[in-house]
Amino acid sequence: MTQIVAYRSPTYYELAAPPELDWRPYRPPAYFAYREDWLRRGELGQPGTFPIHLDFDPTNRCNLQCPMCPRTYYLNLGEKDWAPKGLGDMDIELYKKLINEGAREGLKSVKLNFLGEPLLYKDLVEMVALAREAGLWVMLNTNAVLLTKDLSRRLLLAGLTDIFFSFDSPYQKEYEAIRVGASYQKVLDNIASFMDILSALNLKAVQTRASMVLPEEPSGREEIKADYVKLFRDLRVAEIGFGLPSVMGRDYASLNPKTFLCPDLFRRLFVYHDGVYGPCCGDWARQIPLGSVADGRSLKEVWLGPELTRLRQKHQTGSYRDILACEGCSVPYLSTLEV
């Protein structure tokens, strides 16, 4: 790909928006200071006194059954550790409490999804508004199946600053085989309508992104990337992202390098729909307990607590394999590959 890479992580890279779609000139200096801090914490292993970002899972329900998704994998196995209380939604009062704490402590951004589809959550617009009123950047990942014109407008007017469309192939047959339960054309129409509304509201600072998980087989990837870029550039989506696949059930422990420093341990914290805290986007089965809101522990207490401190130390001293969830994580191995 010849386009400029705007952002790269160990398993993902993102093509920068062309000038006519670029949202960055419309963001204040504080946003770029926050992104510099995001990168610095991860690269240097400096957690500060509070997470710079929170990932909330408004619901662990989903309207699709994507085969590569951990949620689908665990449901098919009958595994319940990922959702010990079953399917459910986050209490909006719990969310308000954590947003208020974050605003006091220097939190900069939130993203509203983890294993569920956030558009299924009835109070999603309120979630966006509460975070934006607290001065936070508000991000949202969605499969866009339920992204109606009315919901698009309400989310944007509530203050949504970044929306990321998960769309896993530029080709209808492959897309509908991956995004089981979704209609290729309907979702593209939803995204097109969102972009029309965004333009009509003249919200030039809102970031839009479409991203896909690449096929495991490297051959043919360049053609897929080129077709994907064309599809979403024609829809006026600003950023285009490509990630490497994590194969559920694979023994990554035998593939992983001896040392690995996970950047997310130093910048973000996850809050599942039931108020349980999680350390990263890869601990799907909740193998690393950090407590919960019900225990009475604040976000700051968890961030500076013994569990996360030990986890960070293991990574910083080259002993991340001592942590079962980290040893079996796909990210250390995938970070050695070319996206």
Side-chain angles (χ1 to χ4, degrees), residues 104-122:
R104 292 194 307 269
E105 297 290 346
L107 182 68
K108 299 301 181 186
S109 65
V110 297
K111 187 156 71 171
L112 303 178
N113 84 291
F114 178 45
L115 288 179
E117 168 49 50
L119 299 191
L120 288 167
Y121 182 65
K122 66 180 180 64

Side-chain angles (χ1 to χ4, degrees), residues 7-12 37-48 51-53 55 259-270 279-281 303 308 311-312 315-316 320 326 329 331-332 335:
Y7 177 72
R8 184 182 294 275
S9 74
T11 63
Y12 169 87
D37 192 17
W38 169 271
L39 294 173
R40 182 170 56 250
R41 288 190 185 205
E43 291 169 355
L44 301 181
Q46 297 176 347
I52 194 172
H53 173 89
D55 292 86
T259 61
F260 178 73
L261 180 68
C262 179
D264 283 350
L265 300 177
F266 303 91
R267 57 196 186 192
R268 70 200 298 185
L269 187 66
F270 286 69
C280 66
C281 62
W303 189 246
L308 266 177
L311 191 56
R312 294 182 188 118
H315 277 251
Q316 290 173 315
Y320 82 99
C326 298
C329 178
V331 173
S335 68

Side-chain angles (χ1 to χ4, degrees), residues 22 115 125 255 275:
D22 197 358
L115 288 179
V125 173
L255 301 172

Side-chain angles (χ1 to χ4, degrees), residues 111-338:
K111 187 156 71 171
L112 303 178
N113 84 291
F114 178 45
L115 288 179
E117 168 49 50
L119 299 191
L120 288 167
Y121 182 65
K122 66 180 180 64
D123 294 323
L124 183 64
V125 173
E126 184 179 1
M127 271 190 162
V128 171
L130 287 167
R132 196 63 187 134
E133 288 165 7
L136 308 177
W137 301 100
V138 191
M139 309 171 188
L140 177 70
N141 273 82
T142 177
N143 59 39
V145 170
L146 302 174
L147 191 62
T148 63
K149 292 180 182 179
D150 176 65
L151 183 54
S152 296
R153 179 177 293 275
R154 289 192 294 124
L155 286 169
L156 287 167
L157 292 177
L160 185 68
T161 59
D162 305 80
I163 188 166
F164 309 138
F165 306 115
S166 299
F167 198 96
D168 284 295
S169 175
Y171 315 122
Q172 181 171 352
K173 181 178 179 181
E174 286 80 357
Y175 169 84
E176 291 182 352
I178 296 169
R179 293 277 159 178
V180 179
S183 163
Y184 175 88
Q185 193 56 56
K186 179 65 168 68
V187 173
L188 287 179
D189 289 345
N190 288 348
I191 294 172
S193 293
F194 181 93
M195 299 306 300
D196 287 341
I197 294 167
L198 179 63
S199 178
L201 292 173
N202 199 33
L203 296 173
K204 294 182 178 180
V206 172
Q207 178 188 184
T208 58
R209 185 181 76 202
S211 61
M212 69 170 289
V213 176
L214 292 166
E216 188 176 7
E217 175 54 52
S219 64
R221 278 185 185 171
E222 292 308 309
E223 181 179 358
I224 292 170
K225 290 178 185 178
D227 290 343
Y228 193 85
V229 169
K230 183 179 187 310
L231 177 65
F232 283 100
R233 285 286 187 253
D234 287 349
L235 288 171
R236 296 160 293 146
V237 173
E239 315 284 351
I240 310 293
F242 299 101
L244 292 173
S246 178
V247 181
M248 297 302 299
R250 175 168 293 175
D251 177 19
Y252 282 102
S254 62
L255 301 172
N256 280 335
K258 292 182 179 179
T259 61
F260 178 73
L261 180 68
C262 179
D264 283 350
L265 300 177
F266 303 91
R267 57 196 186 192
R268 70 200 298 185
L269 187 66
F270 286 69
V271 185
Y272 307 138
H273 79 284
D274 52 2
V276 173
Y277 299 119
C280 66
C281 62
D283 188 24
W284 304 306
R286 304 191 182 192
Q287 294 176 285
I288 305 174
L290 299 180
S292 71
V293 177
D295 300 335
R297 298 178 68 188
S298 68
L299 288 164
K300 188 170 187 176
E301 287 172 328
V302 171
W303 189 246
L304 300 177
E307 299 89 351
L308 266 177
T309 298
R310 174 176 176 269
L311 191 56
R312 294 182 188 118
Q313 289 172 344
K314 288 292 184 182
H315 277 251
Q316 290 173 315
T317 59
S319 304
Y320 82 99
R321 287 174 168 275
D322 292 349
I323 308 296
L324 182 63
C326 298
E327 181 189 35
C329 178
S330 63
V331 173
Y333 168 69
L334 295 178
S335 68
T336 67
L337 306 180
E338 180 67 27

